[in-house]
Amino acid sequence: PKEREKTAYHEAGHLIALYILHPTDDVFKASIIPRRGTLGIVHHQPREEVFTYDKNRLLADVKADLAGYVAEKMKFGTTSSGVAMDFKQAMSIAHSMVWKYGMADKSFLGDYTSIPEGQISEKLKEELNEETGKIFQQCLKDVDELLSRERVVIDRFAKELLDKEELDYDEIDAIFKEYGKFGMSKGV
Protein backbone atom coordinates (compact mmCIF):
# COMPACT_ATOMS: atom_id res chain seq x y z
CA PRO A 1 0.00 0.00 0.00
CA LYS A 2 2.81 2.47 0.78
CA GLU A 3 4.48 1.88 -2.60
CA ARG A 4 1.13 2.27 -4.35
CA GLU A 5 0.53 5.58 -2.54
CA LYS A 6 4.00 6.80 -3.48
CA THR A 7 3.30 5.88 -7.11
CA ALA A 8 0.00 7.78 -7.02
CA TYR A 9 1.71 10.94 -5.78
CA HIS A 10 4.55 10.51 -8.28
CA GLU A 11 2.11 10.25 -11.19
CA ALA A 12 -0.03 13.10 -9.82
CA GLY A 13 3.09 15.30 -9.96
CA HIS A 14 3.72 14.42 -13.60
CA LEU A 15 0.06 14.93 -14.45
CA ILE A 16 -0.13 18.41 -12.91
CA ALA A 17 3.11 19.65 -14.48
CA LEU A 18 2.10 18.37 -17.90
CA TYR A 19 -1.42 19.76 -17.75
CA ILE A 20 -0.54 23.20 -16.41
CA LEU A 21 2.92 23.87 -17.90
CA HIS A 22 3.19 22.04 -21.20
CA PRO A 23 2.75 24.29 -24.25
CA THR A 24 2.11 21.54 -26.83
CA ASP A 25 0.93 18.35 -25.11
CA ASP A 26 -2.30 17.21 -23.49
CA VAL A 27 -2.56 14.55 -20.80
CA PHE A 28 -4.91 11.84 -22.01
CA LYS A 29 -4.53 9.18 -19.31
CA ALA A 30 -2.95 8.58 -15.91
CA SER A 31 -2.54 5.13 -14.38
CA ILE A 32 -1.05 3.40 -11.37
CA ILE A 33 -1.62 -0.07 -12.81
CA PRO A 34 1.83 -1.72 -13.09
CA ARG A 35 2.81 -2.45 -16.70
CA ARG A 36 6.05 -3.42 -18.42
CA GLY A 37 8.30 -2.71 -15.47
CA THR A 38 6.67 0.59 -14.46
CA LEU A 39 4.42 1.11 -11.47
CA GLY A 40 2.51 3.97 -13.11
CA ILE A 41 2.43 6.25 -16.11
CA VAL A 42 0.97 9.48 -17.41
CA HIS A 43 0.28 9.34 -21.13
CA HIS A 44 0.45 12.57 -23.08
CA GLN A 45 0.56 13.54 -26.70
CA PRO A 46 0.95 16.68 -28.78
CA ARG A 47 -2.27 18.49 -29.65
CA GLU A 48 -1.00 18.67 -33.22
CA GLU A 49 1.78 17.02 -35.16
CA VAL A 50 5.16 18.46 -34.15
CA PHE A 51 8.45 17.74 -35.90
CA THR A 52 10.83 20.08 -34.07
CA TYR A 53 10.90 21.13 -30.43
CA ASP A 54 11.54 24.69 -29.31
CA LYS A 55 13.10 25.69 -26.00
CA ASN A 56 9.73 26.12 -24.25
CA ARG A 57 8.62 22.62 -25.15
CA LEU A 58 11.94 21.09 -24.09
CA LEU A 59 11.87 22.94 -20.76
CA ALA A 60 8.30 21.73 -20.21
CA ASP A 61 9.45 18.16 -20.88
CA VAL A 62 12.22 18.51 -18.28
CA LYS A 63 9.78 19.98 -15.75
CA ALA A 64 7.24 17.22 -16.37
CA ASP A 65 9.98 14.59 -15.90
CA LEU A 66 11.06 16.16 -12.60
CA ALA A 67 7.53 16.57 -11.23
CA GLY A 68 7.21 12.97 -10.01
CA TYR A 69 10.35 13.39 -7.92
CA VAL A 70 9.13 16.71 -6.48
CA ALA A 71 5.68 15.32 -5.62
CA GLU A 72 7.19 12.27 -3.85
CA LYS A 73 9.60 14.44 -1.90
CA MET A 74 6.85 16.90 -0.88
CA LYS A 75 4.56 14.16 0.40
CA PHE A 76 7.01 11.69 1.91
CA GLY A 77 10.15 13.75 2.59
CA THR A 78 12.18 11.37 0.44
CA THR A 79 12.01 9.76 -2.99
CA SER A 80 12.29 6.29 -4.48
CA SER A 81 14.26 4.57 -7.21
CA GLY A 82 11.18 5.19 -9.37
CA VAL A 83 12.68 8.57 -10.29
CA ALA A 84 15.66 7.05 -12.12
CA MET A 85 14.16 6.99 -15.63
CA ASP A 86 12.64 10.45 -15.15
CA PHE A 87 16.03 11.85 -14.14
CA LYS A 88 17.69 10.14 -17.10
CA GLN A 89 15.19 11.67 -19.54
CA ALA A 90 15.33 15.13 -17.94
CA MET A 91 19.13 15.20 -17.86
CA SER A 92 19.34 13.97 -21.46
CA ILE A 93 17.04 16.76 -22.65
CA ALA A 94 18.89 19.46 -20.67
CA HIS A 95 22.22 18.10 -21.95
CA SER A 96 21.03 18.18 -25.57
CA MET A 97 19.68 21.71 -25.15
CA VAL A 98 23.16 22.94 -24.22
CA TRP A 99 25.50 20.57 -26.04
CA LYS A 100 23.56 20.26 -29.32
CA TYR A 101 20.86 22.93 -29.76
CA GLY A 102 22.51 26.19 -28.66
CA MET A 103 19.84 26.78 -25.96
CA ALA A 104 22.15 27.71 -23.07
CA ASP A 105 22.15 31.14 -21.42
CA LYS A 106 25.71 31.59 -22.66
CA SER A 107 26.41 31.61 -26.38
CA PHE A 108 27.46 28.03 -27.01
CA LEU A 109 26.44 27.56 -30.62
CA GLY A 110 27.01 24.30 -32.41
CA ASP A 111 26.80 20.61 -31.73
CA TYR A 112 29.57 19.93 -29.24
CA THR A 113 28.73 16.22 -29.23
CA SER A 114 30.12 16.00 -32.78
CA ILE A 115 33.61 17.06 -31.68
CA PRO A 116 35.89 14.07 -31.08
CA GLU A 117 36.48 13.45 -27.34
CA GLY A 118 40.14 14.50 -27.27
CA GLN A 119 39.54 17.75 -29.16
CA ILE A 120 37.26 19.51 -26.68
CA SER A 121 38.90 21.16 -23.68
CA GLU A 122 38.07 20.23 -20.10
CA LYS A 123 37.27 23.90 -19.43
CA LEU A 124 34.68 23.96 -22.22
CA LYS A 125 33.17 20.68 -21.02
CA GLU A 126 32.87 22.16 -17.51
CA GLU A 127 31.15 25.28 -18.86
CA LEU A 128 28.73 23.23 -20.96
CA ASN A 129 27.97 20.97 -17.99
CA GLU A 130 27.41 24.02 -15.75
CA GLU A 131 24.85 25.35 -18.22
CA THR A 132 23.16 21.94 -18.30
CA GLY A 133 23.03 21.97 -14.51
CA LYS A 134 21.52 25.47 -14.52
CA ILE A 135 18.66 24.32 -16.76
CA PHE A 136 18.07 21.27 -14.58
CA GLN A 137 18.09 23.29 -11.34
CA GLN A 138 15.85 26.08 -12.71
CA CYS A 139 13.32 23.51 -13.92
CA LEU A 140 13.42 21.80 -10.52
CA LYS A 141 12.80 25.15 -8.79
CA ASP A 142 9.89 25.97 -11.13
CA VAL A 143 8.26 22.58 -10.53
CA ASP A 144 8.76 22.85 -6.78
CA GLU A 145 7.00 26.24 -6.79
CA LEU A 146 4.16 24.94 -8.97
CA LEU A 147 3.51 21.81 -6.93
CA SER A 148 3.77 23.73 -3.65
CA ARG A 149 0.97 26.00 -4.90
CA GLU A 150 -1.05 23.02 -6.15
CA ARG A 151 -0.72 20.80 -3.08
CA VAL A 152 -4.49 20.37 -2.74
CA VAL A 153 -4.76 19.29 -6.39
CA ILE A 154 -1.90 16.79 -5.98
CA ASP A 155 -3.67 15.25 -2.98
CA ARG A 156 -6.91 15.03 -4.97
CA PHE A 157 -5.31 13.35 -8.00
CA ALA A 158 -3.39 10.91 -5.79
CA LYS A 159 -6.66 9.97 -4.03
CA GLU A 160 -8.46 9.56 -7.38
CA LEU A 161 -5.66 7.35 -8.69
CA LEU A 162 -5.68 5.25 -5.53
CA ASP A 163 -9.48 4.85 -5.78
CA LYS A 164 -9.79 4.25 -9.54
CA GLU A 165 -6.26 3.26 -10.65
CA GLU A 166 -6.77 4.99 -14.02
CA LEU A 167 -8.10 8.37 -15.07
CA ASP A 168 -8.92 9.35 -18.64
CA TYR A 169 -8.76 12.80 -20.21
CA ASP A 170 -12.33 13.79 -19.36
CA GLU A 171 -11.90 12.84 -15.69
CA ILE A 172 -8.56 14.67 -15.48
CA ASP A 173 -9.91 17.78 -17.20
CA ALA A 174 -13.03 17.84 -14.99
CA ILE A 175 -10.95 17.75 -11.79
CA PHE A 176 -8.71 20.58 -12.98
CA LYS A 177 -11.75 22.66 -13.92
CA GLU A 178 -13.26 21.94 -10.51
CA TYR A 179 -10.21 23.71 -9.02
CA GLY A 180 -10.27 26.51 -11.63
CA LYS A 181 -7.10 25.24 -13.33
CA PHE A 182 -6.51 25.35 -17.04
CA GLY A 183 -3.59 24.07 -19.09
CA MET A 184 -1.41 26.02 -21.50
CA SER A 185 -3.83 25.48 -24.38
CA LYS A 186 -6.88 26.16 -22.24
CA GLY A 187 -6.29 29.80 -21.38
CA VAL A 188 -3.94 29.87 -18.38
Side-chain angles (χ1 to χ4, degrees):
K2 189 72 171 173
E3 190 170 68
R4 195 167 173 272
E5 183 184 20
K6 195 169 272 195
T7 301
Y9 272 89
H10 182 103
E11 299 309 329
H14 287 312
L15 190 153
I16 289 166
L18 277 162
Y19 187 91
I20 293 176
L21 297 178
H22 212 287
T24 62
D25 287 18
D26 276 333
V27 176
F28 69 91
K29 185 185 213 177
S31 173
I32 60 166
I33 298 171
R35 290 187 181 103
R36 288 183 243 132
T38 66
L39 296 176
I41 192 163
V42 173
H43 295 283
H44 59 103
Q45 64 188 21
R47 287 183 283 282
E48 56 189 46
E49 202 166 17
V50 178
F51 296 101
T52 61
Y53 302 142
D54 66 15
K55 187 174 184 177
N56 289 334
R57 164 133 194 202
L58 293 169
L59 288 171
D61 286 343
V62 173
K63 291 172 188 178
D65 285 336
L66 294 175
Y69 162 82
V70 172
E72 277 187 43
K73 192 151 176 120
M74 284 175 68
K75 175 66 178 173
F76 302 101
T78 187
T79 62
S80 67
S81 60
V83 302
M85 185 55 73
D86 296 335
F87 278 174
K88 184 176 183 178
Q89 288 174 188
M91 190 56 76
S92 177
I93 294 166
H95 183 270
S96 291
M97 288 173 71
V98 173
W99 283 74
K100 290 175 138 180
Y101 309 145
M103 295 180 180
D105 286 341
K106 291 185 178 177
S107 292
F108 292 114
L109 299 177
D111 180 355
Y112 293 91
T113 63
S114 67
I115 299 172
E117 181 65 31
Q119 294 179 19
I120 188 168
S121 74
E122 290 303 314
K123 182 179 184 318
L124 180 56
K125 286 181 197 175
E126 280 180 32
E127 290 177 6
L128 290 165
N129 287 335
E130 278 179 29
E131 289 296 306
T132 301
K134 281 186 197 173
I135 289 172
F136 201 80
Q137 290 303 316
Q138 184 60 53
C139 288
L140 187 61
K141 181 178 181 271
D142 293 347
V143 171
D144 191 52
E145 289 171 3
L146 170 71
L147 296 185
S148 292
R149 282 192 315 267
E150 303 301 340
R151 187 64 189 259
V152 172
V153 183
I154 293 172
D155 291 340
R156 172 68 185 278
F157 274 112
K159 181 187 180 316
E160 292 290 330
L161 284 166
L162 288 166
D163 290 348
K164 298 178 182 174
E165 293 192 314
E166 280 192 345
L167 300 171
D168 65 22
Y169 175 84
D170 290 335
E171 292 169 305
I172 292 166
D173 198 47
I175 291 168
F176 276 114
K177 285 180 178 158
E178 189 180 310
Y179 288 92
K181 305 295 176 194
F182 301 92
M184 290 291 285
S185 69
K186 299 159 189 72
V188 174

